[in-house]
Amino acid sequence: MLKDITLGQYYPVKSFVHDLDPRVKIILTIAFIVAVFLGSSLWAMIPITAFILLSAKAANLPVKLLLKGIKPLRIILIFTFLLNLFFSAGETVLLQVWKIRVTQEGLMLAIRFSMRLVFLVTGASLLTLTTQPVVLTDGLERLMSPLARIGFPAHELAMMMSIALRFIPTLLEEADKIMKAQMARGADFESGNLLQRARAMVPLLVPLFVSAFRRAGDLAMAMEARCYHGGEGRTRLRVLKITHKDYVACAAVAALIVICVIIG
Amino acid sequence: MEEAILQAKNVSYAYEEGEGLAISDINLSFRRGEMTAILGHNGSGKSTLAKLLNGLYIPTAGTVTVCGMDTALDDNTWEIRKKAGMVFQNPDNQLVASIVRDDVAFGLENIGVPTEEMPARIEAALRAVGMLDFIDRAPHMLSGGQKQRIAIAGILAMQPQALILDEATAMLDPKGREEVFSIVEKLNREQGITVVWITHFMEEAARCGRVVVMDGGHIVMDGEPQEVFTRAEDMRRMRLDVPPMVALGDLLRSRGMKISRDAMDIDSMAREVLKWL
């Protein structure tokens, strides 16, 4: 079962958004987040929602998939909504039960804040659903590379990320194996209070760490045997190219920002 | 005399200064196109030897040369590793990228192959190991044998002269073992790649053209498998077995049946025995 996990949530179809340069997509995602914060009124939510739906269409993604990203956040979402609903200052009382009252301002605030959260998550999902993790790390490396001149380890960071991506499933599988082995010897991971359960994790974590270090040693040796010597003089398999599609996407996001600023 | 691709002259190696030698005073050379098995039980120094052959370790004494280049010189390091590729034991711990294509490209990126040349070299390497269909797959979804074949493809893409496999089949099931061995055999036969096959499986050693037996950091036997395996007593003393078919041949010969010494696998043994029935 653990073998089936796919990393990230990449949705492999061909589309306009999939074809965009990862660097452009990363920057546009950030720009989109800025737009969400600029458009603070309820009216601004209409163009933002329209933008997300259009992007999903351009990305060939079912909207259901985008909404799935919100699911893990539902508790925070409900919490944010209720908190703002009941505890904001306001004049126009809509509903009053005993000492708790719901004001019109509170309701507006609650909707705005929770919608903002939804926008942020769907915006980020749009990026991860349409970009393979390898490509994403490539894009990040390229974006950070100007910082390398002032000593920022851009290549090393990207390499670490891609190695982490490669080894997460391997380590998960191993954790599963160790857990079963310990359970077969009578280890109990499920009962007891929090402290007891945390202590039960020790026989799982110690072998996992030992093996992770051993793997790291092996991998370093294998990388050296394959001539790895840092980012210097390295060529890349993937070439990133900005095409006219990227300009179209930039224009669309710029338009959204302008609209959000105007609506306020 | 044919050209020696890998050569060790009076090589000794100690992991720590003052400690015992893992390899002591070894002289060994591998000719172009040869397929050699290195046998030895744990701690015999066979893995250490492998790592000396592509400059991962530098000899404490003596010299190792790869295509004439001394591994002790820093300037040669990357050129040497390009010429003598290495595959390790654990299939999980030598793949770097989360997509097969990117993993095979890793070595090419390191040695600065131009981007335009990469796809063709990646595809050729994957085709040679029969894994072209898996180019867009994630390594963690593959079997052990398949992962080792990807690791071999990653080396092949760099177009090496020699392939050193350090117990590459030790962690595989019998099917994966056969898969990997026959691929390497084919590469040796068809592309003339020099192979150093380190193993403790006798059946595999019997299929190589030459067998070198190591014990306690020394080379104790070196020759064709037929020669080496006739010394069954010596082999047992070094805690090594002879391949089962060789042992059977010995037994039958001692009972007076004339069985050829070349019969080292099941098929040829069957043919030999059928002659007597």
Side-chain angles (χ1 to χ4, degrees), chain B residues 185-253:
Chain B
E185 219 174 19
K186 197 182 94 190
L187 291 173
N188 171 257
R189 201 172 52 235
E190 288 173 9
Q191 303 193 11
I193 293 176
T194 311
V195 174
V196 179
W197 182 272
I198 293 164
T199 184
H200 58 255
F201 292 113
M202 300 300 144
E203 302 89 328
E204 290 171 358
R207 286 164 67 181
C208 294
R210 175 184 172 196
V211 176
V212 172
V213 181
M214 290 189 67
D215 189 46
H218 298 274
I219 290 172
V220 284
M221 288 186 235
D222 182 353
E224 288 181 7
Q226 290 90 326
E227 288 169 52
V228 169
F229 290 133
T230 48
R231 295 165 62 183
E233 273 314 300
D234 292 331
M235 296 288 284
R236 283 193 195 105
R237 218 178 40 241
M238 284 174 288
R239 285 178 277 159
L240 287 171
D241 263 326
V242 293
M245 287 307 124
V246 173
L248 178 63
D250 280 346
L251 201 68
L252 293 175
R253 271 188 293 275

Side-chain angles (χ1 to χ4, degrees), chain A:
Chain A
M1 177 203 80
L2 268 173
K3 266 199 146 177
D4 300 331
I5 59 156
T6 43
L7 269 176
Q9 23 177 352
Y10 181 65
Y11 188 71
V13 288
K14 284 226 167 293
S15 85
F16 176 85
V17 182
H18 284 74
D19 285 346
L20 293 178
D21 187 296
R23 291 168 296 183
V24 173
K25 269 193 271 191
I26 294 167
I27 292 175
L28 290 186
T29 306
I30 297 169
F32 172 78
I33 292 170
V34 172
V36 168
F37 279 98
L38 285 175
S40 51
S41 74
L42 273 182
W43 289 114
M45 273 164 207
I46 296 165
I48 295 174
T49 312
F51 179 84
I52 286 182
L53 292 178
L54 278 174
S55 307
K57 186 94 189 111
N60 222 341
L61 292 174
V63 179
K64 226 169 62 189
L65 210 62
L66 269 182
L67 295 178
K68 236 174 91 186
I70 305 171
K71 228 172 126 192
L73 275 173
R74 59 188 184 276
I75 294 173
I76 301 178
L77 219 53
I78 293 168
F79 194 67
T80 313
F81 186 82
L82 293 180
L83 212 66
N84 281 298
L85 190 62
F86 293 128
F87 297 101
S88 326
E91 305 288 298
T92 343
V93 180
L94 294 177
L95 193 76
Q96 182 149 23
V97 182
W98 185 51
K99 273 189 175 172
I100 302 167
R101 53 183 193 170
V102 175
T103 62
Q104 195 183 348
E105 288 84 349
L107 183 64
M108 294 296 181
L109 212 63
I111 294 173
R112 245 165 51 201
F113 270 92
S114 25
M115 281 311 277
R116 221 177 243 179
L117 259 176
V118 171
F119 290 145
L120 293 186
V121 175
T122 41
S125 297
L126 261 175
L127 176 68
T128 52
L129 282 166
T130 60
T131 321
Q132 276 182 296
V134 219
V135 179
L136 204 59
T137 49
D138 252 14
L140 272 175
E141 178 177 357
R142 237 51 80 85
L143 275 180
M144 294 186 298
S145 62
L147 294 174
R149 244 170 282 156
I150 55 164
F152 185 80
H155 165 74
E156 287 76 5
L157 223 63
M159 183 52 92
M160 279 193 269
M161 274 194 285
S162 55
I163 290 177
L165 281 173
R166 155 75 186 85
F167 277 91
I168 287 169
T170 308
L171 288 176
L172 275 177
E173 218 175 287
E174 181 152 44
D176 190 51
K177 224 185 281 172
I178 296 172
M179 207 153 157
K180 281 185 183 132
Q182 306 286 35
M183 273 154 79
R185 293 173 201 164
D188 181 3
F189 292 105
E190 266 123 36
S191 58
N193 60 29
L194 202 63
L195 196 70
Q196 282 166 329
R197 266 195 284 178
R199 281 178 75 174
M201 294 303 270
V202 174
L204 169 67
L205 291 177
V206 172
L208 196 61
F209 267 96
V210 171
S211 123
F213 278 111
R214 207 194 53 235
R215 280 181 199 282
D218 280 4
L219 184 71
M221 177 88 76
M223 285 170 74
E224 266 194 53
R226 284 167 78 182
C227 296
Y228 181 70
H229 50 282
E232 224 170 295
R234 241 177 148 239
T235 46
R236 302 310 306 268
L237 169 66
R238 292 166 204 280
V239 206
L240 303 182
K241 257 211 312 270
I242 309 265
T243 61
H244 65 278
K245 287 181 180 172
D246 295 298
Y247 294 119
V248 173
C250 288
V253 175
L256 178 72
I257 292 180
V258 171
I259 293 171
C260 285
V261 170
I262 293 173
I263 296 175

